[in-house]
Amino acid sequence: MPSHHSIQANQQIPSSSALYIIFGTQVGLDYLTFQRKLTQAVGQDAWIALLITALLIHLAIWWMFTLLNRQQADLATINKRLLGTWIGALFNTALIVYFLLICMMSIRLYSEIVRIWIFPTIHIWVLELILLLLSYYLVSGGLRVIAGFFMFSQLFIVLNGIFYFLRNYYHPTNLLPIMTHTIPEISQAVWSIIPSFMGVEALLMFYPYLNNGKKAQRWSHGANAITMTVYLIILVFTLMFFSQEQLKDEMWPTLTLFKFVEFPFMERVEFIGATFQLSRVTPILSLYLWSALQTSKQQFRFSKRRMLPVYLVIVFIGSLMFHDVQQVLKSYSIIGQVGFVLLFVYVPLLIIVTRWLPVKGKGL
Amino acid sequence: MKPFIVVLLMVTLLTSCIAKTEVIEDIYMALAMAVDFKPTHDDEASLDRSRKGIDLTLSVPLYTADHKVESISFKESGITLKETISSINHKSDQYLSISKLGAVLFSENVLRSGIGEYAETLNADPLISGRLILAMTEGRAEHILQGDFRTNNQPVGRYLCNIVENNFKTFDLPRMNLHQFIYEWKGIGMDPVMPIIEISEKKATLAGIAILKDDSYMGKLTVEEIVPFTWMKKNTRNGSYVVRLPEQNTTIQDSTTRVRYKYLPNHNQFNIYIRVEGKLTKSDLSKSIELSEVRNAINKQFTNQCETVIAKLQKWGTDPLGLGNVVRSRVRNWDERIWKEQYPSLNIKIIVDSTIRR
Amino acid sequence: MGKQFDELVNFHSKSSDFVSVAIAVDESIFISYYETMVDSKSLLQDLFPVIVRLNGDKIEDLYASLPFPGKQIVTDTNEQTQLLMIGYILLSNRTEEACIAVQAVRTESRSINAPEVEFSVIGPKDALIEQLDTNIMQIRRRLPVPELRVTRMEIGSLSKTKCAVMHLEGIANPLNLDYMMKRLNKIDMDVITDSTNIIQIIVDNKYSLFPQFLETERPDRLAHVLSFGGIAVLVDGSSQAFTGPVTIGQFLVAYEDYYLSWHLGSFFRILRILSILFSIFATPVYIAILTYHYHIIPTLLIGPIISSRINLPFPPYLEVIFMELTIELLREAGARLPTKIGQTIGIVGGIVIGTAAVQAALTSNILLTIVALSALASFAVPIFHFSNTIRVIRYPFILSAQMLGLVGIVVCASFLLVHLLRLKSLGTPYLQPFYPLRFQDWQDSVFRVPTASFNKRPGAFRPLRKDRTRTKKPDIDE
């Protein structure tokens, strides 16, 4: 379907970039921590919950594209169009807050990783300032540059392949017995893993910039499938490596796995593993900043260039408000569940509403 | 805006010098640590642990410009591990870092009173390697660190690690390090083990394996019992084994072993099948031996040895072989508490099947 | 003699190399020229004998009787001045304003030599020289088709530098050409002495360290780029031409790659990529690990490293900066001195300073090895400007490694990546074919496919025709 919007050709991003953007935002820093809450609920049956969640997200992607293909606009514009100026503004402000909260949490989470794993004495604000300057430079290059950064940073996921070298440490019997948990337990696990699959909602904002929306749907489903595969592989490695009771006290299972890899020229690969998360968190931070900018642009006609420093300051101050990493992780789950509501309640509602309303935006 | 950003970036980078630099030659890197009780408390093993003081000894290598190395040790007393480690820096002229630790030695008394707390402290520090070797020694652990070894220009800490690692590699022993300790300690249906290191003739040697129940010492397996223990626990390669025949002794080389478990809940029986494949050592004497004779001798001798080990383990009520874990993975609704009650009376049967080539 | 022409002569006579004399039988013809600009041999042997025997009063008559090819009648004073300046001879009689201009430009220049900057062991041994026409000739000889268009222009209000913009019509994208012409036409500068002057004026991002046009002295490379749809600009007086648009992949290509078998070509390209990475990251990683992350070093390696550094008074980063600057100094001094002395300086400096620095405990021999290797690696980059970039770009990495260890290096690398993502050359993304991802273009950037299989033009030039071959490869069963 040709896109009906006014984005210039040289500002558009290829539809295939949905693959790495969505994969990047979904996996994010979650793949360092997701195993713990999952196994707390369902132990070695965690992979079942993982598969179910991935299917749910496939469903969400499908109806997101139904809405977007029909409206040919981003969520902020749709809100404004359907809900009118005032209620639309309210919803869009909430959207901006949502995006900025994600920014705050991801930047704080990375800084905490550095403090815990690399520099125990570093000041959090220094690191956050550097990251925000980097994302200023990135965001002011536009979505095209952000998408490019996503592409390069996703290559580091290959780094997880070195877990193969830990094969002597794996205990395959840890995966047995299969299916010992009840359905309520599994649905509990699904609920706890949903935040780790969040990130697809960014699509609601950058959709108009894709040069072919219809094709992007296939890429998005592909991204979700890859996310699931990566999670599954890491989960299986983790379950085989740790005993379940040990995993309950392990806050950063993936980084601990890195810790055991050894080469003749190098010990302690977790320093590399923890450092390279920077290249994963920067584009996510930038994409959500950009989404907030885009929302405020569509709703209030605020210039993106003007608003960027304002948002950066908000994120900087906001991220320093968290007490410790536990609080960040907890809020991260909560905001992920808010995202779940956005995807599974709000978007279907919009679809139902737009079913009968004439599309005003066509040929915009 | 651009120059502004550059200036801001430089300023933040400069201020972040606050990240503490630890230049490699300006710090002491402890490679081994020994934990003892204070000598005055040493004999009162039953004393409440929390009121006991510990003696901590750190072995630090000193490298010189002519590529020589000598080891010095730092000693400090305290109550908890964490506190003692930080206060040991009072005695040091350079920052003393423990994040390169390769081995931690516990004296038998410390191990007997439980080391869970220490292991937890070490494990909680992300800067400490999980491959850290935990070991036991029967005397005072600090003597091992202060021992005068004829090492190959190696620091003592590294030397001790090499001793253990060489044993692991040559005999294909089960892994025993910090991670494995935590894994087996916290994991259900398993109990940890650790190597015992002793000094003999100016060399450190592996003197056996310490068997723990939860996190405290129960008893040791001797050097001869290590191989049966290993073969019952995991599949091995490149091992060797001495067979006692009526007239002579002979050795099996390049052996490959496979272990399988079978649990028969109705008979309260646990079968351990061990398949041994190996090669007879070449010598003039061995030519005259019948292979079937060797096979029978191995089966009998090995079954006996294994049964001795199993009897010990069952007496102590510990499960370092992880039999409970095997059952857990096969039986639904497995209960650790019931298993623990059953374990000492479990009927464990060893079935050895060997194939010997010339 | 016309009045205006008289003024002209007076104006030019202020230069001592201007000659204006009356010759011919009745001294009726004036001949004016700059003796430094004209070819005296052709003046004496060809021109004078004819002029002396001339007769006729009218300029038209004179014009008709001159047996030379490059002659014209000029009436405008400005034009007369211009022609004088570039080596024409003006003939005039006493009465008329118009005069005849005869071309007698001195054409001395050096002959075509082997390329020095982009040297290759095998392959053609000719390089561009300072003369525009010769350079165009060299390219035309390689692409003898009428579609090869040359647009001439003059740049520089004082230097009047002649430039030629070349492209292949039907292949080069008109957008690119348009971009280039617009930028060149917008140049407002007095003196242009070399193609690099022009490049610095027309680049997309003036703050960037990275070269945004590909400078080359190899006519074969120029022909190659033109055939892909690139735009080439040749500048008179410059032995380097430049092409655009350019992508980062092109800087990894030494033209010799095409003359080697494809396995070797690919191997060398991958080697170059690795050497660039090594050159940038080796010393910063050394600093980061020795200053913060000693955990990474295997315990066996710690001994040798500490032993070699035990007496050093400096922290690693000062040691590195000291050694890096020494190497830069050696290179710079070697480049400024005459070749023979330069070599000596390089060898003597390298050996003597290196050994002495280790013995004086200014540096450790491990670092010395790393620094020397990374300097060597930076010279493996085939394009001079790019190699300079690589050498300079290390320093921010070194500083940030000192500040934040590995995290600092990744921060710095991220800034670099964002910069490269934002950078454009003639509006074309610089990081092609990596982003936007074009796997097809990898056949001529990361590695090199066999020449016969290399049948598509790179997408980075946005050529109008993609196929390099006239016939398509038959499908199975065809």
Side-chain angles (χ1 to χ4, degrees):
Chain A
M1 183 191 288
S3 301
H4 303 282
H5 44 65
S6 54
I7 311 295
Q8 286 166 10
N10 61 351
Q11 299 297 333
Q12 286 177 1
I13 52 175
S15 50
S16 58
S17 57
L19 179 73
Y20 36 85
I21 295 183
I22 290 180
F23 172 70
T25 43
Q26 274 190 318
V27 174
L29 295 181
D30 292 314
Y31 83 108
L32 302 178
T33 53
F34 76 101
Q35 303 99 317
R36 190 167 155 232
K37 42 188 178 181
L38 203 52
T39 43
Q40 263 170 0
V42 286
Q44 74 275 21
D45 286 334
W47 56 274
I48 300 171
L50 204 62
L51 293 184
I52 294 173
T53 321
L55 285 180
L56 281 178
I57 300 294
H58 271 306
L59 211 63
I61 291 176
W62 174 69
W63 64 52
M64 265 159 68
F65 271 97
T66 313
L67 175 72
L68 293 167
N69 283 338
R70 194 183 288 161
Q71 289 287 325
Q72 288 298 332
D74 53 29
L75 185 61
T77 318
I78 297 173
N79 278 341
K80 201 177 173 186
R81 224 182 255 164
L82 296 179
L83 305 174
T85 319
W86 287 103
I87 307 173
L90 197 71
F91 272 83
N92 282 336
T93 314
L95 210 56
I96 294 173
V97 171
Y98 172 76
F99 290 140
L100 291 184
L101 276 174
I102 292 181
C103 289
M104 291 173 199
M105 286 165 198
S106 39
I107 192 174
R108 178 64 189 255
L109 194 59
Y110 178 71
S111 311
E112 290 286 353
I113 289 176
V114 170
R115 185 158 77 172
I116 293 170
W117 285 88
I118 305 176
F119 296 122
T121 54
I122 200 173
H123 296 268
I124 291 283
W125 66 268
V126 174
L127 210 60
E128 290 191 351
L129 195 56
I130 294 171
L131 276 177
L132 286 173
L133 288 177
L134 180 58
S135 58
Y136 174 86
Y137 193 40
L138 190 49
V139 174
S140 56
L143 185 65
R144 210 186 54 82
V145 178
I146 298 176
F149 203 103
F150 260 112
M151 196 196 82
F152 284 101
S153 62
Q154 295 326 308
L155 296 178
F156 293 118
I157 208 75
V158 180
L159 207 65
N160 293 311
I162 58 175
F163 293 157
Y164 169 76
F165 293 111
L166 296 179
R167 59 192 179 280
N168 291 334
Y169 279 95
Y170 292 143
H171 310 270
T173 49
N174 287 3
L175 298 173
L176 297 168
I178 297 169
M179 284 293 283
T180 49
H181 293 82
T182 56
I183 290 176
E185 279 173 328
I186 286 181
S187 55
Q188 174 67 31
V190 169
W191 177 245
S192 73
I193 192 70
I194 281 265
S196 301
F197 275 88
M198 278 301 136
V200 277
E201 75 277 9
L203 182 75
L204 293 168
M205 292 314 297
F206 70 80
Y207 172 83
Y209 283 80
L210 293 164
N211 64 5
N212 189 331
K214 199 90 181 170
K215 265 191 187 165
Q217 181 161 7
R218 253 176 281 157
W219 290 111
S220 311
H221 284 296
N224 192 40
I226 296 179
T227 305
M228 185 194 73
T229 319
V230 167
Y231 277 163
L232 206 59
I233 291 172
I234 293 178
L235 180 72
V236 168
F237 279 151
T238 315
L239 281 174
M240 291 198 298
F241 188 79
F242 297 100
S243 54
Q244 276 175 37
E245 293 70 27
Q246 186 184 11
L247 194 54
K248 274 172 189 154
D249 303 331
E250 192 63 59
M251 251 185 83
W252 311 96
T254 311
L255 285 172
T256 307
L257 277 175
F258 271 119
K259 206 159 115 169
F260 281 83
V261 183
E262 228 174 49
F263 296 111
F265 54 91
M266 183 178 186
E267 287 176 354
R268 315 295 294 281
V269 182
E270 88 269 19
F271 280 90
I272 310 288
T275 318
F276 274 114
Q277 303 315 323
L278 188 143
S279 67
R280 302 185 56 79
V281 80
T282 314
I284 296 174
L285 181 65
S286 307
L287 183 69
Y288 280 103
L289 271 175
W290 180 90
S291 301
L293 289 172
Q294 180 76 2
T295 314
S296 60
K297 169 103 175 176
Q298 300 287 20
Q299 176 64 42
F300 306 110
R301 300 270 141 222
F302 288 156
S303 148
K304 286 186 191 173
R305 203 173 286 284
R306 292 262 179 78
M307 282 311 282
L308 181 52
V310 179
Y311 285 162
L312 286 178
V313 171
I314 294 174
V315 170
F316 182 59
I317 295 172
S319 62
L320 290 175
M321 296 294 172
F322 294 103
H323 281 299
D324 57 0
V325 65
Q326 300 293 351
Q327 200 189 12
V328 181
L329 284 174
K330 203 174 278 172
S331 340
Y332 212 84
S333 310
I334 294 170
I335 202 81
Q337 278 142 7
V338 172
F340 176 81
V341 174
L342 176 76
L343 284 192
F344 286 85
V345 180
Y346 188 61
V347 173
L349 270 180
L350 283 182
I351 293 176
I352 296 166
V353 172
T354 52
R355 185 86 178 83
W356 290 286
L357 282 184
V359 178
K360 282 189 255 168
K362 273 213 166 152
L364 195 79
Chain B
M1 198 65 197
K2 244 178 202 158
F4 170 69
I5 285 205
V6 173
V7 169
L8 204 58
L9 191 73
M10 281 338 276
V11 169
T12 40
L13 279 177
L14 285 170
T15 48
S16 70
C17 281
I18 308 161
K20 197 175 71 183
T21 61
E22 292 174 0
V23 181
I24 187 165
E25 74 265 22
D26 297 342
I27 54 171
Y28 287 136
M29 273 171 284
L31 294 183
M33 179 162 88
V35 185
D36 292 296
F37 283 137
K38 274 188 188 151
T40 46
H41 300 306
D42 223 4
D43 39 344
E44 311 158 44
S46 57
L47 201 74
D48 181 18
R49 185 149 45 106
S50 59
R51 282 189 287 114
K52 257 184 182 177
I54 52 167
D55 272 351
L56 202 68
T57 315
L58 290 175
S59 163
V60 172
L62 270 189
Y63 297 96
T64 56
D66 54 348
H67 295 267
K68 288 261 161 53
V69 60
E70 49 188 286
S71 296
I72 55 169
S73 52
F74 288 86
K75 220 174 137 179
E76 179 70 43
S77 312
I79 303 294
T80 65
L81 192 64
K82 218 171 190 171
E83 166 205 348
T84 321
I85 287 170
S86 63
S87 64
I88 213 165
N89 256 309
H90 291 308
K91 294 187 177 168
S92 169
D93 58 329
Q94 293 179 359
Y95 174 69
L96 184 57
S97 150
I98 58 154
S99 39
K100 265 314 249 190
L101 269 184
V104 177
L105 302 176
F106 298 98
S107 70
E108 191 183 324
N109 284 329
V110 175
L111 201 61
R112 205 177 281 282
S113 68
I115 56 162
E117 173 199 341
Y118 309 128
E120 197 71 275
T121 311
L122 293 170
N123 190 45
D125 186 349
L127 294 177
I128 288 181
S129 167
R131 292 178 181 241
L132 178 70
I133 289 169
L134 305 180
M136 187 196 102
T137 177
E138 279 171 342
R140 278 185 73 76
E142 61 179 302
H143 292 161
I144 301 234
L145 292 194
Q146 287 152 353
D148 174 31
F149 304 111
R150 295 234 184 79
T151 62
N152 186 14
N153 196 23
Q154 272 182 353
V156 171
R158 180 76 204 149
Y159 170 72
L160 293 177
C161 289
N162 282 349
I163 293 278
V164 177
E165 268 162 23
N166 178 43
N167 273 293
F168 285 165
K169 234 182 261 167
T170 328
F171 300 106
D172 209 356
L173 301 188
R175 272 166 202 284
M176 304 171 215
N177 53 27
L178 179 60
H179 164 76
Q180 196 66 25
F181 176 83
I182 304 269
Y183 179 90
E184 287 170 341
W185 171 42
K186 290 188 178 168
I188 50 178
M190 299 178 264
D191 282 302
V193 291
M194 57 176 67
I196 300 174
I197 295 181
E198 293 301 331
I199 302 182
S200 73
E201 294 165 5
K202 295 208 164 188
K203 288 261 187 296
T205 51
L206 185 76
I209 289 183
I211 303 291
L212 283 74
K213 183 176 187 175
D214 286 338
D215 62 342
S216 44
Y217 179 62
M218 292 306 292
K220 71 180 249 186
L221 295 183
T222 58
V223 182
E224 288 74 39
E225 286 166 334
I226 291 179
V227 171
F229 174 76
T230 309
W231 288 8
M232 279 194 288
K233 180 152 179 165
K234 64 187 274 257
N235 303 336
T236 64
R237 303 171 68 184
N238 306 331
S240 65
Y241 182 68
V242 180
V243 193
R244 292 197 183 81
L245 296 173
E247 311 94 72
Q248 58 183 25
N249 287 353
T250 185
T251 314
I252 309 297
Q253 275 187 331
D254 297 340
S255 64
T256 309
T257 66
R258 292 261 167 283
V259 60
R260 275 189 311 117
Y261 305 107
K262 193 165 189 184
Y263 179 54
L264 307 163
N266 300 333
H267 304 81
N268 194 25
Q269 186 173 340
F270 200 102
N271 291 354
I272 302 177
Y273 300 91
I274 302 171
R275 268 181 58 202
V276 185
E277 280 174 37
K279 213 168 69 180
L280 213 56
T281 325
K282 269 189 190 135
S283 70
D284 292 340
L285 280 173
S286 67
K287 275 181 187 160
S288 59
I289 307 170
E290 281 286 317
L291 280 183
S292 59
E293 192 187 340
V294 179
R295 207 174 297 138
N296 291 335
I298 288 184
N299 292 358
K300 207 169 151 211
Q301 181 189 337
F302 197 74
T303 313
N304 280 339
Q305 282 180 333
C306 288
E307 276 165 358
T308 324
V309 173
I310 292 282
K312 272 189 182 177
L313 299 181
Q314 279 186 317
K315 191 180 79 193
W316 293 326
T318 78
D319 186 9
L321 292 174
L323 303 184
N325 189 42
V326 172
V327 178
R328 178 201 62 79
S329 71
R330 297 186 185 174
V331 177
R332 277 161 200 275
N333 307 320
W334 179 78
D335 193 333
E336 193 188 13
R337 209 165 34 79
I338 299 170
W339 169 259
K340 275 195 170 160
E341 284 166 14
Q342 286 176 349
Y343 180 72
S345 61
L346 191 67
N347 184 11
I348 299 175
K349 209 173 159 195
I350 316 289
I351 298 114
V352 183
D353 171 26
S354 53
T355 319
I356 309 297
R357 287 168 284 119
R358 271 199 201 277
Chain C
M1 187 190 288
K3 204 172 169 190
Q4 279 177 17
F5 190 76
D6 213 15
E7 278 171 20
L8 186 87
V9 169
N10 282 337
F11 178 70
H12 283 282
S13 297
K14 286 171 189 164
S15 294
S16 58
D17 57 345
F18 183 74
V19 180
S20 181
V21 288
I23 51 169
V25 192
D26 49 354
E27 298 196 343
S28 63
I29 298 175
F30 267 91
I31 175 165
S32 329
Y33 58 91
Y34 275 89
E35 62 181 4
T36 43
M37 291 301 291
V38 300
D39 186 3
S40 56
K41 202 168 127 197
S42 70
L43 197 68
L44 287 173
Q45 285 180 358
D46 309 336
L47 206 61
F48 277 176
V50 178
I51 293 171
V52 172
R53 273 184 278 109
L54 276 181
N55 43 30
D57 292 337
K58 290 254 186 213
I59 283 289
E60 282 78 13
D61 296 342
L62 285 173
Y63 184 75
S65 55
L66 275 174
F68 298 114
K71 59 180 185 177
Q72 49 184 305
I73 294 181
V74 192
T75 23
D76 181 46
T77 325
N78 283 338
E79 204 178 334
Q80 286 166 357
T81 306
Q82 253 176 22
L83 290 175
L84 268 177
M85 293 315 301
I86 58 174
Y88 276 68
I89 293 168
L90 293 189
L91 298 176
S92 66
N93 61 6
R94 288 174 176 280
T95 49
E96 285 174 74
E97 289 292 349
C99 56
I100 307 168
V102 181
Q103 194 206 0
V105 186
R106 182 187 286 210
T107 50
E108 282 161 29
S109 74
R110 69 183 172 103
S111 54
I112 296 173
N113 288 335
E116 282 182 5
V117 184
E118 290 169 79
F119 179 78
S120 72
V121 179
I122 50 171
K125 288 285 188 295
D126 51 351
L128 298 184
I129 58 167
E130 282 76 6
Q131 220 182 10
L132 185 61
D133 291 337
T134 320
N135 292 346
I136 294 177
M137 179 270 289
Q138 289 192 58
I139 295 168
R140 273 216 187 274
R141 225 170 39 193
R142 286 181 165 82
L143 297 169
V145 286
E147 282 80 18
L148 179 64
R149 305 277 191 239
V150 179
T151 319
R152 280 169 182 273
M153 55 172 66
E154 256 180 21
I155 299 173
S157 53
L158 284 179
S159 66
K160 308 278 183 204
T161 311
K162 281 182 285 179
C163 296
V165 182
M166 302 181 89
H167 71 283
L168 268 177
E169 202 159 284
I171 294 175
N173 195 312
L175 275 172
N176 287 341
L177 181 68
D178 206 40
Y179 241 130
M180 183 72 100
M181 294 305 278
K182 260 187 206 152
R183 300 237 181 120
L184 287 175
N185 283 328
K186 258 185 13 201
I187 294 178
D188 183 17
M189 191 48 65
D190 54 353
V191 176
I192 300 288
T193 49
D194 190 56
S195 53
T196 39
N197 295 134
I198 297 183
I199 290 181
Q200 287 172 31
I201 297 172
I202 68 171
V203 286
D204 295 58
N205 183 351
K206 292 185 183 59
Y207 301 102
S208 179
L209 251 176
F210 285 82
Q212 291 155 64
F213 289 98
L214 182 84
E215 270 195 276
T216 179
E217 57 168 356
R218 298 189 65 107
D220 46 357
R221 186 171 199 142
L222 279 174
H224 193 76
V225 174
L226 280 170
S227 78
F228 284 162
I231 315 290
V233 179
L234 286 81
V235 180
D236 196 29
S238 164
S239 62
Q240 300 255 320
F242 65 90
T243 66
V246 76
T247 58
I248 198 158
Q250 283 174 289
F251 291 106
L252 305 174
V253 175
Y255 205 73
E256 200 182 16
D257 294 353
Y258 294 105
Y259 302 130
L260 297 170
S261 82
W262 65 274
H263 326 80
L264 292 175
S266 307
F267 173 68
F268 291 142
R269 281 193 192 170
I270 293 167
L271 190 70
R272 263 176 233 134
I273 294 176
L274 294 181
S275 75
I276 287 177
L277 292 179
F278 181 83
S279 179
I280 296 179
F281 290 108
T283 42
V285 168
Y286 173 87
I287 295 177
I289 289 181
L290 261 62
T291 314
Y292 296 103
H293 312 299
Y294 53 91
H295 317 78
I296 289 181
I297 312 169
T299 318
L300 269 178
L301 250 170
I302 283 186
I305 291 179
I306 294 187
S307 292
S308 77
R309 290 185 47 86
I310 197 80
N311 289 327
L312 296 195
F314 303 126
Y317 80 103
L318 280 182
E319 187 196 359
V320 164
I321 289 179
F322 172 72
M323 279 322 288
E324 291 277 10
L325 286 180
T326 311
I327 291 236
E328 292 300 301
L329 199 64
L330 279 175
R331 193 204 62 83
E332 183 64 20
R336 297 289 151 256
L337 284 166
T339 328
K340 292 232 168 79
I341 309 176
Q343 279 177 0
T344 326
I345 288 276
I347 297 165
V348 170
I351 296 170
V352 172
I353 296 181
T355 326
V358 171
Q359 280 176 0
L362 289 173
T363 179
S364 64
N365 33 25
I366 291 180
L367 177 74
L368 195 66
T369 324
I370 293 178
V371 169
L373 272 179
S374 69
L376 201 62
S378 74
F379 294 126
V381 181
I383 305 289
F384 180 67
H385 286 272
F386 201 63
S387 139
N388 286 344
T389 308
I390 299 298
R391 288 216 321 271
V392 175
I393 218 156
R394 280 207 279 263
Y395 292 95
F397 277 93
I398 288 175
L399 285 181
S400 49
Q402 161 61 19
M403 304 299 175
L404 272 175
L406 283 177
V407 179
I409 293 177
V410 176
V411 166
C412 209
S414 301
F415 267 100
L416 180 65
L417 180 61
V418 179
H419 177 72
L420 287 175
L421 280 167
R422 294 180 66 157
L423 203 57
K424 288 182 172 187
S425 159
L426 282 187
T428 306
Y430 195 66
L431 269 186
Q432 277 193 56
F434 307 107
Y435 183 80
L437 199 57
R438 289 176 202 269
F439 281 116
Q440 203 178 39
D441 289 7
W442 283 34
Q443 58 180 337
D444 189 32
S445 49
V446 182
F447 46 85
R448 187 174 89 75
V449 295
T451 313
S453 327
F454 182 24
N455 51 10
K456 289 265 195 288
R457 299 197 164 92
F461 295 103
R462 284 177 286 174
L464 298 184
R465 276 189 285 136
K466 281 285 282 184
D467 289 314
R468 294 181 75 194
T469 46
R470 273 177 296 187
T471 48
K472 284 208 164 159
K473 198 179 157 201
D475 194 8
I476 299 171
D477 301 334
E478 264 181 25

